Coordinates of all heavy atoms in Angstrom, one line a residue:
M1 N -27.4 0.0 -15.4 CA -26.5 0.7 -14.4 C -25.4 -0.4 -13.9 O -24.3 0.0 -13.7 CB -27.3 1.2 -13.2 CG -26.5 1.9 -12.3 SD -25.9 3.4 -12.9 CE -25.5 4.3 -11.5
S2 N -25.8 -1.6 -13.9 CA -24.9 -2.7 -13.4 C -23.7 -2.7 -14.3 O -22.5 -3.0 -13.9 CB -25.6 -3.9 -13.2 OG -24.7 -5.0 -12.9
Q3 N -23.9 -2.7 -15.6 CA -22.9 -2.8 -16.6 C -21.9 -1.6 -16.5 O -20.6 -1.7 -16.7 CB -23.4 -2.8 -18.1 CG -24.2 -4.0 -18.3 CD -23.4 -5.3 -18.4 OE1 -22.2 -5.3 -18.0 NE2 -24.0 -6.4 -18.9
V4 N -22.4 -0.4 -16.2 CA -21.6 0.8 -16.1 C -20.7 0.6 -14.8 O -19.5 0.9 -14.9 CB -22.4 2.0 -15.9 CG1 -21.5 3.3 -15.5 CG2 -23.2 2.3 -17.2
V5 N -21.2 0.2 -13.7 CA -20.4 -0.1 -12.5 C -19.4 -1.1 -12.7 O -18.3 -1.1 -12.2 CB -21.4 -0.4 -11.3 CG1 -20.6 -0.8 -10.1 CG2 -22.2 0.8 -11.0
A6 N -19.8 -2.2 -13.4 CA -18.8 -3.3 -13.7 C -17.7 -2.8 -14.6 O -16.5 -3.2 -14.3 CB -19.5 -4.5 -14.4
G7 N -18.0 -2.0 -15.5 CA -16.9 -1.3 -16.3 C -16.0 -0.5 -15.6 O -14.8 -0.5 -15.8
L8 N -16.6 0.4 -14.6 CA -15.8 1.1 -13.7 C -14.9 0.4 -12.9 O -13.7 0.8 -12.6 CB -16.7 2.1 -12.9 CG -17.3 3.3 -13.7 CD1 -18.3 4.0 -12.8 CD2 -16.2 4.3 -14.3
A9 N -15.5 -0.7 -12.3 CA -14.7 -1.5 -11.4 C -13.5 -2.2 -12.1 O -12.4 -2.3 -11.7 CB -15.5 -2.7 -10.8
L10 N -13.8 -2.5 -13.4 CA -12.7 -3.1 -14.2 C -11.6 -2.1 -14.6 O -10.4 -2.4 -14.5 CB -13.3 -3.8 -15.5 CG -12.2 -4.4 -16.4 CD1 -11.7 -5.6 -15.7 CD2 -12.9 -4.9 -17.7
A11 N -12.1 -0.9 -14.8 CA -11.1 0.3 -15.1 C -10.3 0.6 -13.9 O -9.1 0.8 -14.0 CB -11.9 1.5 -15.6
V12 N -10.9 0.6 -12.7 CA -10.2 0.8 -11.4 C -9.1 -0.2 -11.2 O -8.0 0.0 -10.8 CB -11.1 1.0 -10.2 CG1 -10.4 1.0 -9.0 CG2 -11.9 2.4 -10.5
T13 N -9.5 -1.5 -11.4 CA -8.6 -2.6 -11.3 C -7.5 -2.5 -12.2 O -6.3 -2.7 -11.9 CB -9.3 -4.0 -11.4 OG1 -10.4 -4.1 -10.6 CG2 -8.4 -5.1 -11.3
A14 N -7.7 -2.2 -13.5 CA -6.6 -2.0 -14.5 C -5.7 -0.8 -14.1 O -4.5 -0.9 -14.2 CB -7.2 -1.8 -15.8
A15 N -6.3 0.3 -13.6 CA -5.5 1.4 -13.2 C -4.6 1.0 -12.0 O -3.5 1.4 -11.9 CB -6.4 2.6 -12.8
G16 N -5.1 0.2 -11.1 CA -4.4 -0.2 -9.8 C -3.2 -1.2 -10.3 O -2.1 -1.0 -9.8
V17 N -3.4 -2.0 -11.3 CA -2.3 -2.9 -11.7 C -1.2 -1.9 -12.4 O 0.0 -2.1 -12.1 CB -2.9 -3.9 -12.8 CG1 -1.6 -4.6 -13.4 CG2 -3.7 -4.9 -12.1
I18 N -1.6 -1.1 -13.2 CA -0.6 -0.1 -13.9 C 0.1 0.8 -12.9 O 1.3 0.9 -12.9 CB -1.4 0.8 -15.0 CG1 -1.9 -0.1 -16.1 CG2 -0.4 1.9 -15.4 CD1 -2.8 0.6 -17.1
C19 N -0.6 1.4 -12.0 CA 0.0 2.1 -10.9 C 1.0 1.3 -10.0 O 2.0 1.8 -9.7 CB -1.0 2.9 -10.1 SG -1.9 4.2 -10.9
S20 N 0.6 0.1 -9.6 CA 1.3 -0.7 -8.8 C 2.6 -1.1 -9.6 O 3.7 -1.2 -8.9 CB 0.6 -1.9 -8.2 OG 0.1 -2.7 -9.2
V21 N 2.5 -1.4 -10.8 CA 3.8 -1.8 -11.6 C 4.7 -0.6 -11.5 O 5.9 -0.8 -11.4 CB 3.4 -2.3 -12.9 CG1 4.6 -2.3 -13.9 CG2 2.7 -3.6 -12.9
G22 N 4.1 0.6 -11.8 CA 5.0 1.8 -11.8 C 5.6 2.1 -10.4 O 6.8 2.4 -10.3
V23 N 4.9 1.9 -9.3 CA 5.4 2.0 -8.0 C 6.5 1.0 -7.6 O 7.5 1.2 -7.1 CB 4.3 2.0 -6.9 CG1 4.9 2.0 -5.6 CG2 3.4 3.2 -7.1
A24 N 6.2 -0.3 -8.2 CA 7.2 -1.3 -8.0 C 8.5 -1.1 -8.7 O 9.6 -1.4 -8.2 CB 6.6 -2.7 -8.5
A25 N 8.4 -0.5 -9.8 CA 9.6 -0.2 -10.6 C 10.4 1.0 -10.0 O 11.6 1.0 -10.0 CB 9.3 0.2 -12.1
R26 N 9.6 1.9 -9.3 CA 10.3 3.0 -8.8 C 10.7 2.8 -7.3 O 11.8 3.2 -6.9 CB 9.3 4.2 -8.8 CG 9.9 5.5 -8.4 CD 10.7 6.1 -9.6 NE 11.0 7.5 -9.1 CZ 12.1 8.1 -9.5 NH1 12.9 7.5 -10.3 NH2 12.4 9.3 -9.1
A27 N 9.9 2.2 -6.5 CA 10.1 2.2 -5.0 C 10.2 0.8 -4.5 O 10.5 0.5 -3.4 CB 9.0 2.9 -4.3
G28 N 9.9 -0.2 -5.3 CA 10.0 -1.6 -4.9 C 8.7 -2.3 -4.6 O 7.6 -1.6 -4.5
L29 N 8.7 -3.5 -4.5 CA 7.5 -4.4 -4.3 C 6.8 -4.1 -2.9 O 5.6 -4.1 -2.8 CB 7.9 -5.8 -4.4 CG 6.8 -6.8 -4.7 CD1 6.1 -6.4 -6.0 CD2 7.3 -8.2 -4.8
R30 N 7.6 -3.8 -1.9 CA 7.0 -3.5 -0.6 C 6.1 -2.3 -0.6 O 5.2 -2.3 0.0 CB 8.1 -3.3 0.4 CG 7.7 -3.1 1.8 CD 8.8 -3.1 2.8 NE 9.1 -4.6 3.0 CZ 9.9 -4.9 3.9 NH1 10.7 -4.1 4.6 NH2 10.2 -6.2 4.2
A31 N 6.4 -1.3 -1.4 CA 5.5 -0.2 -1.6 C 4.4 -0.3 -2.6 O 3.3 0.3 -2.4 CB 6.4 1.1 -2.0
A32 N 4.5 -1.2 -3.5 CA 3.6 -1.4 -4.6 C 2.4 -2.3 -4.1 O 1.3 -2.0 -4.6 CB 4.2 -2.1 -5.8
V33 N 2.6 -3.3 -3.3 CA 1.5 -4.1 -2.8 C 0.3 -3.4 -2.1 O -0.8 -3.5 -2.5 CB 2.0 -5.3 -1.9 CG1 0.9 -6.0 -1.4 CG2 3.0 -6.1 -2.8
P34 N 0.6 -2.5 -1.2 CA -0.5 -1.7 -0.7 C -1.2 -0.8 -1.7 O -2.4 -0.7 -1.6 CB 0.1 -0.8 0.5 CG 1.4 -1.5 0.8 CD 1.8 -2.2 -0.5
V35 N -0.6 -0.3 -2.7 CA -1.2 0.4 -3.7 C -2.1 -0.4 -4.4 O -3.3 0.0 -4.7 CB -0.1 1.1 -4.6 CG1 -0.8 1.7 -5.9 CG2 0.7 2.1 -3.9
L36 N -1.8 -1.6 -4.9 CA -2.6 -2.5 -5.6 C -3.8 -2.9 -4.7 O -4.9 -3.0 -5.3 CB -1.8 -3.7 -6.0 CG -2.6 -4.8 -6.8 CD1 -3.2 -4.3 -8.1 CD2 -1.9 -6.0 -7.0
L37 N -3.6 -3.2 -3.5 CA -4.6 -3.6 -2.6 C -5.7 -2.4 -2.4 O -6.9 -2.7 -2.3 CB -4.1 -4.1 -1.3 CG -3.4 -5.4 -1.4 CD1 -2.8 -5.7 0.0 CD2 -4.3 -6.6 -1.9
D38 N -5.2 -1.2 -2.4 CA -6.1 -0.1 -2.3 C -7.0 0.1 -3.5 O -8.3 0.3 -3.4 CB -5.4 1.2 -2.0 CG -4.9 1.4 -0.6 OD1 -5.5 0.6 0.3 OD2 -4.0 2.1 -0.3
F39 N -6.5 -0.2 -4.6 CA -7.2 -0.1 -5.9 C -8.2 -1.3 -6.0 O -9.3 -1.1 -6.4 CB -6.3 -0.1 -7.1 CG -5.8 1.3 -7.5 CD1 -4.6 1.7 -7.1 CD2 -6.6 2.0 -8.4 CE1 -4.2 3.0 -7.4 CE2 -6.2 3.4 -8.7 CZ -5.0 3.8 -8.2
L40 N -7.8 -2.4 -5.5 CA -8.8 -3.5 -5.5 C -9.9 -3.3 -4.6 O -11.0 -3.8 -4.8 CB -8.0 -4.8 -5.2 CG -7.0 -5.4 -6.2 CD1 -6.3 -6.6 -5.7 CD2 -7.8 -5.7 -7.5
L41 N -9.6 -2.7 -3.4 CA -10.6 -2.4 -2.5 C -11.6 -1.3 -3.0 O -12.8 -1.5 -2.9 CB -10.0 -1.8 -1.2 CG -11.0 -1.3 -0.1 CD1 -11.9 -2.5 0.5 CD2 -10.2 -0.7 1.0
A42 N -11.1 -0.3 -3.8 CA -12.0 0.6 -4.4 C -12.8 0.0 -5.5 O -14.0 0.3 -5.6 CB -11.1 1.7 -5.1
A43 N -12.3 -0.9 -6.2 CA -13.1 -1.7 -7.2 C -14.2 -2.5 -6.5 O -15.3 -2.6 -7.0 CB -12.3 -2.6 -8.1
G44 N -13.9 -3.2 -5.4 CA -14.8 -4.0 -4.7 C -15.9 -3.1 -4.1 O -17.1 -3.5 -4.1
L45 N -15.6 -1.9 -3.6 CA -16.6 -1.0 -3.1 C -17.5 -0.5 -4.3 O -18.7 -0.3 -4.1 CB -16.0 0.2 -2.3 CG -15.3 -0.2 -1.0 CD1 -14.5 0.9 -0.4 CD2 -16.3 -0.7 -0.1
L46 N -16.9 -0.3 -5.4 CA -17.7 0.1 -6.6 C -18.7 -1.0 -6.9 O -19.9 -0.7 -7.2 CB -16.8 0.4 -7.8 CG -16.4 1.8 -7.9 CD1 -15.4 1.9 -9.1 CD2 -17.5 2.7 -8.1
R47 N -18.3 -2.3 -6.9 CA -19.1 -3.4 -7.2 C -20.3 -3.4 -6.2 O -21.4 -3.9 -6.5 CB -18.4 -4.6 -7.2 CG -17.5 -4.7 -8.5 CD -16.8 -6.1 -8.5 NE -17.8 -7.1 -8.7 CZ -17.7 -8.3 -8.2 NH1 -16.6 -8.7 -7.7 NH2 -18.7 -9.2 -8.4
L48 N -20.0 -3.0 -5.0 CA -21.2 -3.0 -4.0 C -22.2 -2.1 -4.2 O -23.4 -2.2 -3.8 CB -20.5 -2.8 -2.6 CG -19.9 -3.9 -1.8 CD1 -19.3 -3.5 -0.4 CD2 -20.9 -5.0 -1.6
T49 N -21.9 -1.0 -5.0 CA -23.0 0.0 -5.3 C -24.0 -0.5 -6.2 O -25.1 0.0 -6.2 CB -22.4 1.3 -5.8 OG1 -21.7 1.0 -7.1 CG2 -21.3 1.9 -5.0
S50 N -23.7 -1.6 -7.0 CA -24.7 -2.0 -8.0 C -25.7 -3.0 -7.3 O -26.7 -3.4 -7.9 CB -24.0 -2.7 -9.1 OG -23.3 -3.9 -8.7
G51 N -25.5 -3.5 -6.2 CA -26.4 -4.4 -5.5 C -25.7 -5.1 -4.3 O -24.5 -5.4 -4.4
L52 N -26.4 -5.1 -3.2 CA -25.9 -5.7 -2.0 C -26.2 -7.3 -2.0 O -27.3 -7.7 -1.5 CB -26.5 -5.1 -0.8 CG -26.1 -3.6 -0.5 CD1 -26.8 -3.1 0.7 CD2 -24.6 -3.6 -0.3
E53 N -25.4 -8.0 -2.7 CA -25.4 -9.4 -2.6 C -24.4 -10.0 -1.7 O -23.3 -9.4 -1.6 CB -25.3 -9.9 -4.1 CG -26.4 -9.5 -5.0 CD -26.2 -9.8 -6.4 OE1 -25.2 -10.5 -6.7 OE2 -27.0 -9.3 -7.3
W54 N -24.6 -11.1 -1.2 CA -23.7 -11.7 -0.2 C -22.3 -12.0 -0.8 O -21.3 -11.9 -0.1 CB -24.3 -12.9 0.5 CG -25.3 -12.5 1.5 CD1 -26.6 -12.6 1.4 CD2 -25.1 -11.8 2.7 NE1 -27.3 -12.1 2.5 CE2 -26.3 -11.6 3.4 CE3 -23.9 -11.4 3.4 CZ2 -26.4 -10.9 4.6 CZ3 -24.0 -10.7 4.6 CH2 -25.3 -10.5 5.2
D55 N -22.2 -12.4 -2.0 CA -21.0 -12.8 -2.6 C -20.2 -11.5 -2.8 O -18.9 -11.5 -2.6 CB -21.1 -13.6 -3.9 CG -21.9 -12.8 -5.0 OD1 -22.7 -11.9 -4.6 OD2 -21.7 -13.2 -6.1
R56 N -20.7 -10.4 -3.1 CA -20.0 -9.1 -3.3 C -19.5 -8.6 -1.9 O -18.4 -8.1 -1.8 CB -20.9 -8.2 -4.0 CG -21.1 -8.5 -5.4 CD -21.9 -7.5 -6.2 NE -22.1 -8.0 -7.6 CZ -22.9 -7.3 -8.4 NH1 -23.5 -6.2 -8.0 NH2 -23.1 -7.7 -9.6
I57 N -20.4 -8.8 -1.0 CA -20.0 -8.3 0.4 C -18.9 -9.1 0.9 O -17.9 -8.5 1.5 CB -21.3 -8.3 1.4 CG1 -22.3 -7.3 0.9 CG2 -20.9 -8.1 2.8 CD1 -23.6 -7.5 1.7
A58 N -19.0 -10.4 0.7 CA -17.9 -11.3 1.2 C -16.6 -11.1 0.5 O -15.5 -11.0 1.1 CB -18.4 -12.7 1.1
G59 N -16.7 -10.8 -0.8 CA -15.5 -10.5 -1.6 C -14.8 -9.2 -1.2 O -13.5 -9.1 -1.0
T60 N -15.6 -8.2 -0.9 CA -15.0 -6.9 -0.4 C -14.4 -7.1 1.0 O -13.4 -6.6 1.2 CB -16.1 -5.8 -0.4 OG1 -16.7 -5.8 -1.8 CG2 -15.5 -4.5 0.0
A61 N -15.1 -7.8 1.8 CA -14.6 -8.0 3.2 C -13.3 -8.9 3.2 O -12.4 -8.6 3.9 CB -15.7 -8.9 4.0
L62 N -13.2 -9.8 2.2 CA -12.0 -10.6 2.0 C -10.9 -9.7 1.6 O -9.8 -9.8 2.0 CB -12.3 -11.7 1.1 CG -11.1 -12.7 0.9 CD1 -10.8 -13.5 2.2 CD2 -11.4 -13.7 -0.2
I63 N -11.1 -8.8 0.7 CA -10.1 -7.9 0.2 C -9.6 -7.0 1.3 O -8.4 -6.8 1.5 CB -10.6 -7.0 -1.0 CG1 -10.8 -7.9 -2.2 CG2 -9.6 -5.8 -1.2 CD1 -11.5 -7.2 -3.4
V64 N -10.5 -6.5 2.2 CA -10.2 -5.7 3.3 C -9.2 -6.4 4.4 O -8.2 -6.0 4.7 CB -11.4 -5.1 4.0 CG1 -11.1 -4.4 5.4 CG2 -12.1 -4.1 3.1
A65 N -9.7 -7.7 4.6 CA -8.9 -8.5 5.5 C -7.5 -8.8 5.0 O -6.5 -8.8 5.7 CB -9.6 -9.8 5.8
I66 N -7.5 -9.2 3.6 CA -6.2 -9.5 3.1 C -5.3 -8.2 3.1 O -4.1 -8.3 3.3 CB -6.3 -10.0 1.7 CG1 -7.0 -11.5 1.7 CG2 -5.1 -10.1 0.8 CD1 -7.4 -11.9 0.4
R67 N -5.9 -7.1 2.8 CA -5.1 -5.9 2.8 C -4.5 -5.5 4.2 O -3.3 -5.2 4.3 CB -6.0 -4.6 2.4 CG -5.2 -3.4 2.3 CD -6.3 -2.3 2.1 NE -5.6 -1.0 2.1 CZ -5.2 -0.3 3.2 NH1 -5.5 -0.8 4.4 NH2 -4.6 0.8 3.1
H68 N -5.3 -5.7 5.2 CA -4.7 -5.5 6.5 C -3.7 -6.4 6.9 O -2.7 -6.0 7.5 CB -5.9 -5.5 7.6 CG -6.7 -4.3 7.6 ND1 -6.3 -3.0 8.1 CD2 -8.0 -4.1 7.2 CE1 -7.2 -2.2 7.9 NE2 -8.3 -2.7 7.4
V69 N -3.8 -7.7 6.6 CA -2.9 -8.7 6.9 C -1.5 -8.4 6.2 O -0.5 -8.5 6.8 CB -3.4 -10.2 6.8 CG1 -2.3 -11.2 6.8 CG2 -4.5 -10.5 7.7
I70 N -1.7 -8.2 4.9 CA -0.5 -8.1 4.1 C 0.3 -6.7 4.5 O 1.5 -6.8 4.6 CB -0.8 -8.1 2.6 CG1 -1.1 -9.5 2.2 CG2 0.3 -7.6 1.8 CD1 -1.6 -9.7 0.8
T71 N -0.4 -5.7 4.7 CA 0.2 -4.4 5.1 C 0.8 -4.6 6.4 O 1.9 -4.0 6.6 CB -0.8 -3.3 5.0 OG1 -1.5 -3.2 3.8 CG2 -0.3 -2.0 5.3
A72 N 0.2 -5.3 7.4 CA 0.8 -5.4 8.7 C 2.1 -6.3 8.5 O 3.1 -6.0 9.2 CB -0.1 -6.1 9.6
G73 N 2.0 -7.3 7.7 CA 3.2 -8.2 7.5 C 4.3 -7.5 6.8 O 5.5 -7.7 7.1
L74 N 4.0 -6.5 5.9 CA 5.1 -5.9 5.2 C 5.7 -4.8 6.1 O 6.9 -4.5 5.9 CB 4.5 -5.2 3.9 CG 4.2 -6.1 2.8 CD1 3.6 -5.2 1.7 CD2 5.4 -6.8 2.3
S75 N 5.0 -4.3 7.1 CA 5.5 -3.3 7.9 C 6.4 -3.9 9.0 O 7.1 -3.0 9.7 CB 4.4 -2.4 8.5 OG 3.7 -3.1 9.4
V76 N 6.3 -5.2 9.3 CA 7.2 -5.8 10.3 C 8.7 -5.8 9.9 O 9.0 -6.2 8.8 CB 6.7 -7.2 10.6 CG1 7.6 -7.9 11.6 CG2 5.3 -7.2 11.2
G77 N 9.4 -5.2 10.7 CA 10.9 -5.3 10.4 C 11.3 -4.1 9.6 O 12.5 -4.1 9.2
T78 N 10.5 -3.2 9.1 CA 11.0 -2.1 8.3 C 11.5 -1.0 9.2 O 11.0 -0.7 10.3 CB 9.9 -1.6 7.4 OG1 8.7 -1.2 8.2 CG2 9.4 -2.6 6.4
P79 N 12.5 -0.3 8.8 CA 13.0 0.8 9.6 C 12.1 2.0 9.6 O 11.2 2.1 8.7 CB 14.3 1.1 8.9 CG 14.2 0.7 7.5 CD 13.3 -0.5 7.6
P80 N 12.1 2.8 10.6 CA 11.3 4.0 10.6 C 11.5 4.9 9.3 O 12.6 4.8 8.7 CB 11.7 4.8 11.9 CG 12.4 3.8 12.7 CD 12.9 2.7 11.8
A81 N 10.6 5.7 9.0 CA 10.6 6.5 7.8 C 11.8 7.4 7.8 O 12.3 7.7 6.7 CB 9.4 7.2 7.6
R82 N 12.2 7.9 8.9 CA 13.4 8.9 9.0 C 14.6 8.2 9.6 O 15.4 8.9 10.3 CB 12.9 10.1 9.7 CG 11.8 10.8 9.0 CD 11.6 12.2 9.7 NE 10.5 12.9 9.0 CZ 10.7 13.8 8.2 NH1 11.9 14.3 7.9 NH2 9.6 14.4 7.6
A83 N 14.8 6.9 9.3 CA 16.0 6.3 9.9 C 17.3 6.9 9.3 O 18.3 7.0 9.9 CB 15.9 4.8 9.7
W84 N 17.2 7.4 8.0 CA 18.3 7.8 7.3 C 18.8 9.1 8.0 O 20.0 9.5 8.1 CB 18.1 8.1 5.8 CG 17.0 9.1 5.6 CD1 15.7 8.8 5.5 CD2 17.1 10.5 5.5 NE1 15.0 10.1 5.4 CE2 15.8 11.0 5.3 CE3 18.2 11.4 5.5 CZ2 15.6 12.4 5.2 CZ3 17.9 12.7 5.4 CH2 16.7 13.3 5.2
L85 N 17.8 9.9 8.6 CA 18.1 11.2 9.3 C 18.9 10.8 10.6 O 19.8 11.5 10.9 CB 16.9 12.0 9.5 CG 17.1 13.3 10.1 CD1 17.9 14.2 9.2 CD2 15.7 14.0 10.4
A86 N 18.4 9.8 11.2 CA 19.1 9.5 12.5 C 20.5 9.0 12.2 O 21.4 9.2 13.0 CB 18.3 8.5 13.3
A87 N 20.7 8.2 11.1 CA 22.0 7.8 10.7 C 23.0 8.9 10.3 O 24.2 8.8 10.4 CB 22.0 6.7 9.6
M88 N 22.5 10.0 10.0 CA 23.4 11.1 9.6 C 23.8 12.0 10.6 O 24.6 12.9 10.5 CB 22.6 12.0 8.5 CG 22.4 11.1 7.2 SD 23.9 10.6 6.4 CE 24.7 12.0 5.9
T89 N 23.2 11.9 11.8 CA 23.6 12.8 13.0 C 25.0 12.3 13.5 O 25.4 11.1 13.4 CB 22.6 12.6 14.2 OG1 22.6 11.2 14.6 CG2 21.2 13.0 13.7
P90 N 25.8 13.3 13.9 CA 27.1 13.0 14.4 C 27.2 12.0 15.5 O 28.2 11.2 15.6 CB 27.7 14.3 14.9 CG 26.9 15.3 14.1 CD 25.5 14.7 13.9
R91 N 26.2 11.8 16.4 CA 26.3 10.8 17.4 C 26.2 9.3 16.8 O 26.8 8.4 17.5 CB 25.1 11.0 18.3 CG 25.2 12.1 19.2 CD 24.0 12.2 20.1 NE 23.0 13.1 19.4 CZ 21.8 12.9 19.4 NH1 21.2 11.9 20.1 NH2 21.0 13.7 18.8
A92 N 25.8 9.2 15.7 CA 25.7 7.8 15.1 C 27.0 7.4 14.3 O 27.1 6.3 14.0 CB 24.5 7.8 14.1
W93 N 27.8 8.4 14.1 CA 29.1 8.1 13.3 C 30.0 7.4 14.2 O 30.2 7.7 15.4 CB 29.7 9.4 12.8 CG 28.8 10.1 11.9 CD1 27.7 9.7 11.2 CD2 29.1 11.5 11.4 NE1 27.2 10.6 10.4 CE2 28.0 11.7 10.4 CE3 30.0 12.4 11.6 CZ2 28.0 13.0 9.8 CZ3 29.8 13.6 11.0 CH2 28.8 13.9 10.0
K94 N 30.7 6.4 13.7 CA 31.6 5.6 14.4 C 33.0 6.4 14.7 O 33.5 6.4 15.8 CB 31.8 4.3 13.8 CG 30.7 3.3 13.8 CD 31.1 2.0 13.2 CE 29.9 1.1 13.2 NZ 30.1 -0.1 12.5
H95 N 33.4 7.0 13.6 CA 34.6 7.7 13.7 C 34.3 9.1 13.3 O 34.2 9.5 12.2 CB 35.7 7.1 12.7 CG 35.9 5.6 13.0 ND1 36.6 5.1 14.0 CD2 35.6 4.5 12.3 CE1 36.6 3.9 14.0 NE2 36.0 3.4 13.0
S96 N 34.4 10.0 14.3 CA 34.1 11.4 14.1 C 35.5 12.1 13.7 O 36.5 11.8 14.2 CB 33.5 12.0 15.3 OG 33.3 13.4 15.1
T97 N 35.3 13.0 12.8 CA 36.5 13.8 12.4 C 36.7 15.1 13.3 O 37.7 15.8 13.1 CB 36.4 14.2 11.0 OG1 35.2 15.0 10.8 CG2 36.4 13.0 10.1
R98 N 35.7 15.3 14.2 CA 35.8 16.5 15.1 C 36.8 16.2 16.2 O 36.8 15.1 16.8 CB 34.5 16.9 15.6 CG 33.6 17.3 14.6 CD 32.3 17.7 15.2 NE 31.3 18.1 14.3 CZ 30.0 18.4 14.6 NH1 29.6 18.3 15.8 NH2 29.2 18.7 13.7
P99 N 37.6 17.2 16.7 CA 38.4 17.0 17.9 C 37.4 16.9 19.1 O 36.4 17.7 19.1 CB 39.3 18.2 17.9 CG 38.7 19.1 16.9 CD 37.8 18.5 16.0
S100 N 37.7 16.1 19.9 CA 36.9 15.9 21.2 C 37.4 16.9 22.3 O 38.1 16.5 23.2 CB 36.9 14.5 21.7 OG 38.2 14.2 22.0
G101 N 36.9 18.1 22.2 CA 37.4 18.9 23.3 C 37.1 20.3 23.2 O 36.7 21.2 22.8

């Protein structure tokens, strides 16, 4: 059973690398890093199912901590998701073509 879980964890890791490369090509590195970290977390949790050993628990906890730190660091300074919508409202335009009156 341990070999099956190890193979699945490796497959999930490979899928995470492939998906994150695709996301990086499409949406940029800032969007790809959380995707890769989620797949690595899934692989770590899969490895935990084959046996509760301290090195596996510590590895998974380390992945969770790194994921939270990196995701929080990437979100600092990013504009809100709908910032483009606020920029398109007439109040945000510097020179309006409408007559004022």
Side-chain angles (χ1 to χ4, degrees):
M1 185 65 161
S2 177
Q3 296 290 14
V4 172
V5 171
L8 285 174
L10 182 62
V12 168
T13 303
V17 169
I18 292 169
C19 287
S20 63
V21 167
V23 170
R26 186 81 171 149
L29 199 57
R30 185 172 275 187
V33 171
V35 171
L36 177 63
L37 292 174
D38 283 341
F39 274 94
L40 291 177
L41 177 61
L45 292 174
L46 271 174
R47 289 185 61 210
L48 279 180
T49 62
S50 66
L52 291 176
E53 298 171 4
W54 283 109
D55 59 339
R56 292 181 181 175
I57 294 171
T60 303
L62 184 63
I63 291 172
V64 170
I66 289 171
R67 181 189 176 279
H68 282 290
V69 168
I70 290 177
T71 304
L74 288 175
S75 66
V76 172
T78 58
R82 298 194 181 251
W84 62 271
L85 185 61
M88 295 303 291
T89 60
R91 283 180 273 145
W93 296 347
K94 290 182 180 177
H95 304 288
S96 179
T97 57
R98 295 182 186 174
S100 59

